[in-house]
Amino acid sequence: MRVAIAGAGLAGLACAKYLADAGHIPMVYEAREVLGGKVAAWQDEDGDWYETGLHIFFGAYTNMLRLFRELGIEDRLQWKSHALIFNQPEEPGTYSRFDFPDLPAPLNGIAAILGNNDMLSWPEKISFGLGLVPAMLRGQQYVEACDRYSWTEWLRLHNIPERVNDEVFIAMSKALNFINPDEISATVVLTALNRFLQEKNGSRMAFLDGAPPQRLCRPLLDHIRARGGMVRLNTPLRQIHLHRDGSVASFRMAGSGAAETEDVVADAYVSALPVDPLKQLLPQPWKAMPCFARLSGLRGVPVINLHLWFDRKLTDIDHLLFSRSSLLSVYADMSNTCKGYADPHRSMLELIFAPARDWIGRSDAAIIAATMEELVTLFPMHFSGADQARLRKYKVVKTPLSVYKTTPGCEQLRPDQETPVPNFFLAGDYTSQRYLASMEGAVLSGRLCAEAVERCRERLPDTAGSQPSQPGSGQR
Ligand SMILES: Cc1cc2nc3c(=O)[nH]c(=O)nc-3n(C[C@H](O)[C@H](O)[C@H](O)COP(=O)(O)OP(=O)(O)OC[C@H]3O[C@@H](n4cnc5c(N)ncnc54)[C@H](O)[C@@H]3O)c2cc1C
């Protein structure tokens, strides 16, 4: 079967990989000049990389780890010590750690929580631990039923002090979905906590050893091509053409010239687009179908990713850090954490600026000035006195509509990979799978989508006799 896939983020590339493995011919069309979607990255004039987002891989990412194994690139994941590390706003320049000892789950998680006395008091630990009991006993069913509540509402329901939010969950909520605990669905935080507490290495983190388009997307591309598939950049899907019965007749793609278009005919069609552009491309006759109508409730959340190159080392910590400050979320000194960005003498901080709603429209200079003010409180020793650290250069990458905003009630809006249209399928982190909006969710959705195409083979309209597009043409 020839399968046309629009979008070369992790979902589209994973879908193409698993289709190619099953003996089909995936034809991937990406709008932009770079692979990876939300893991895309570029090189500046000095050859330094800057990225759409600071990306962390977790031990709980079963599908992603399987993908690395299948591609033979497991050594590209740089695993860090099993810990969560937070800045201490009350004691600038210091850190508080949750260290997970080498014990089976959930003992290692419990020991990590009990062992940290900087952030939570004993009564807070006990009330929080009791609140988590239903999630641990009743599992995913309970976790999904909590999608009615925001995380703050869930804490109140369980009489857990508000201070637990201030100390831990503002940072965690911003890291998970770039929003605050009064907005995020309780399901999202409970899903993460469940994975972290139930799997020994669930919360262990790894950094990729370089830029994702080169170190992860490129091997996917090579794998797809080696099995007869193709991936074409700079080719946005413009329109979905339908047969009279409402099934897809072709994908109309933008051609190489400004006014040119190309109709791609295939046996099955996949949207691996983010939810916002997909909504704009839905053909009129589909809009009333419940699974597509529900998409109107899903919308990308704004986020800003920052890169700051300094003239000296600010920290030697080789790990992700939770800033616990009002504008920033998580950050890392990539000169320590990532082999491909290593610099023994100078720091490159990559930081996530969130929530970004009030900042996404502001100038890069204003965003950097506000960030520097927060960094002064995080690293006072480097930004006071006569010999202060100097910012050499910076890059700001704004994503106005990133992953879908996981507010209460969103779970039931997420569509299956199989749609009521017989030859049209969906992949993407927003589609229904248990890993929410993440790289793991994107990869899993791609595999589930490939499986759905295979499963629905019998119901696909017969495209014999229609003019096939040439998989080889325009191949890159
Ligand atoms: C700042 C930031 C930090 C993040 N940190 C983490 C993290 O630490 N850990 C984690 O697991 N996840 C993280 N994520 C989330 C993760 O990046 C995403 O969940 C995942 O990459 C989404 O993959 P996707 O394939 O579903 O969508 P996308 O990556 O958005 O891919 C969709 C693709 O479709 C293309 N496209 C759009 N319109 C068209 C069109 N008309 N025709 C053809 N192509 C089109 C896009 O250009 C894009 O390449 C982060 C995201 C951001 C933004």
Side-chain angles (χ1 to χ4, degrees):
M1 278 190 294
R2 285 164 299 112
V3 184
I5 302 171
L10 289 176
L13 291 172
C15 180
K17 187 240 177 233
Y18 288 109
L19 283 168
D21 288 348
H24 305 300
I25 303 171
M27 305 177 294
V28 185
Y29 299 88
E30 164 57 41
R32 298 198 293 176
E33 79 300 348
V34 58
L35 293 173
K38 293 186 188 74
V39 301
W42 302 264
Q43 271 176 302
D44 71 6
E45 51 289 355
D46 305 321
D48 290 322
W49 285 94
Y50 57 101
E51 310 182 324
T52 311
L54 169 61
H55 277 86
I56 305 299
F57 298 74
F58 286 94
Y61 282 7
T62 319
N63 297 283
M64 180 63 95
L65 300 186
R66 168 178 155 174
L67 182 71
F68 272 78
R69 269 197 308 278
E70 289 168 348
L71 295 171
I73 56 167
E74 285 161 287
D75 59 337
R76 297 186 183 185
L77 283 176
Q78 297 182 258
W79 291 99
K80 307 302 173 190
S81 64
H82 197 171
L84 302 175
I85 309 176
F86 293 75
N87 274 101
Q88 299 240 70
E90 303 78 28
E91 293 172 55
T94 66
Y95 304 93
S96 177
R97 299 174 63 104
F98 290 84
D99 286 299
F100 290 66
D102 187 17
L103 294 171
L107 291 180
N108 61 345
I110 293 169
I113 295 168
L114 296 184
N116 179 300
N117 293 314
D118 306 320
M119 290 168 64
L120 297 181
S121 67
W122 279 96
E124 286 163 350
K125 288 181 198 177
I126 291 166
S127 69
F128 182 55
L130 290 175
L132 282 183
V133 170
M136 294 213 259
L137 294 182
R138 289 166 52 200
Q140 196 62 19
Q141 207 186 353
Y142 169 84
V143 168
E144 280 167 26
C146 290
D147 193 40
R148 275 173 284 171
Y149 309 116
S150 71
W151 179 247
T152 303
E153 286 167 343
W154 186 91
L155 286 180
R156 284 187 192 138
L157 266 173
H158 292 83
N159 297 317
I160 298 167
E162 201 84 4
R163 228 186 61 84
V164 174
N165 240 356
D166 301 341
E167 288 297 298
V168 181
F169 287 104
I170 293 178
M172 195 159 169
S173 167
K174 291 207 287 183
L176 284 168
N177 197 233
F178 320 130
I179 53 180
N180 277 318
D182 55 344
E183 286 200 287
I184 200 168
S185 159
T187 296
V188 179
V189 184
L190 288 171
T191 301
L193 288 174
N194 247 6
R195 297 269 74 73
F196 288 0
L197 286 172
Q198 289 181 6
E199 294 169 29
K200 179 177 174 183
N201 287 313
S203 56
R204 187 146 182 227
M205 299 180 208
F207 285 66
L208 192 61
D209 66 356
Q214 279 198 329
R215 304 299 288 167
L216 173 55
C217 300
R218 182 77 213 189
L220 273 163
L221 175 73
D222 294 342
H223 185 99
I224 294 162
R225 280 186 181 163
R227 283 153 188 79
M230 64 150 248
V231 178
R232 203 196 288 178
L233 299 176
N234 296 311
T235 313
L237 172 63
R238 291 276 187 241
Q239 240 179 328
I240 302 175
H241 280 192
L242 302 187
H243 289 296
R244 276 165 187 251
D245 66 2
S247 64
V248 182
S250 65
F251 269 1
R252 173 155 290 182
M253 320 301 303
S256 42
E260 281 178 43
T261 57
E262 178 191 351
D263 286 330
V264 173
V265 177
D267 299 291
Y269 300 83
V270 172
S271 161
L273 271 43
V275 69
D276 298 287
L278 171 64
K279 285 189 285 191
Q280 298 196 333
L281 287 171
L282 284 177
Q284 195 58 35
W286 293 0
K287 288 189 177 163
M289 294 182 186
C291 89
F292 296 122
R294 282 195 292 268
L295 296 182
S296 62
L298 299 176
R299 187 176 160 77
V301 64
V303 68
I304 302 170
N305 200 51
L306 304 173
H307 311 73
L308 274 61
W309 285 268
F310 287 96
D311 67 347
R312 69 193 65 183
K313 277 277 181 211
L314 301 186
T315 173
D316 56 4
I317 295 182
D318 177 12
H319 215 296
L320 183 78
L321 293 154
F322 292 82
S323 80
R324 292 169 84 211
S325 54
S326 55
L327 296 177
L328 301 175
S329 167
V330 283
Y331 69 100
D333 187 336
M334 300 296 275
S335 72
N336 303 328
T337 56
C338 172
K339 203 158 79 183
Y341 304 168
D343 186 331
H345 306 298
R346 301 179 300 187
S347 285
M348 189 279 257
L349 297 189
E350 190 167 338
L351 314 102
I352 293 192
F353 191 104
R357 193 183 47 207
D358 299 335
W359 287 86
I360 197 87
R362 298 182 67 172
S363 70
D364 290 0
I367 292 165
I368 292 297
T371 302
M372 286 304 297
E373 270 183 42
E374 286 210 2
L375 286 184
V376 171
T377 63
L378 297 179
F379 299 102
M381 55 291 198
H382 294 299
F383 297 108
S384 53
D387 183 27
Q388 296 189 19
R390 191 178 61 82
L391 181 62
R392 291 194 296 123
K393 62 175 179 175
Y394 64 79
K395 277 278 181 204
V396 177
V397 182
K398 296 176 180 171
T399 308
L401 296 169
S402 75
V403 295
Y404 76 96
K405 190 172 174 181
T406 49
T407 46
C410 279
E411 269 306 287
Q412 63 195 22
L413 307 178
R414 300 173 72 195
D416 200 79
Q417 288 75 32
E418 185 181 334
T419 77
V421 180
N423 61 350
F424 184 70
F425 300 84
L426 298 174
D429 60 1
Y430 69 94
T431 63
S432 185
Q433 39 74 25
R434 64 199 278 237
Y435 286 93
L436 309 160
S438 64
M439 294 185 287
E440 169 72 356
V443 167
L444 174 57
S445 79
R447 185 162 65 76
L448 293 174
C449 182
E451 287 168 9
V453 174
E454 182 72 37
R455 196 171 56 242
C456 298
R457 208 178 170 151
E458 296 301 310
R459 72 172 208 194
L460 297 177
D462 184 12
T463 49
S466 58
Q467 190 60 46
S469 64
Q470 295 300 311
S473 65
Q475 206 164 334
R476 299 179 50 132

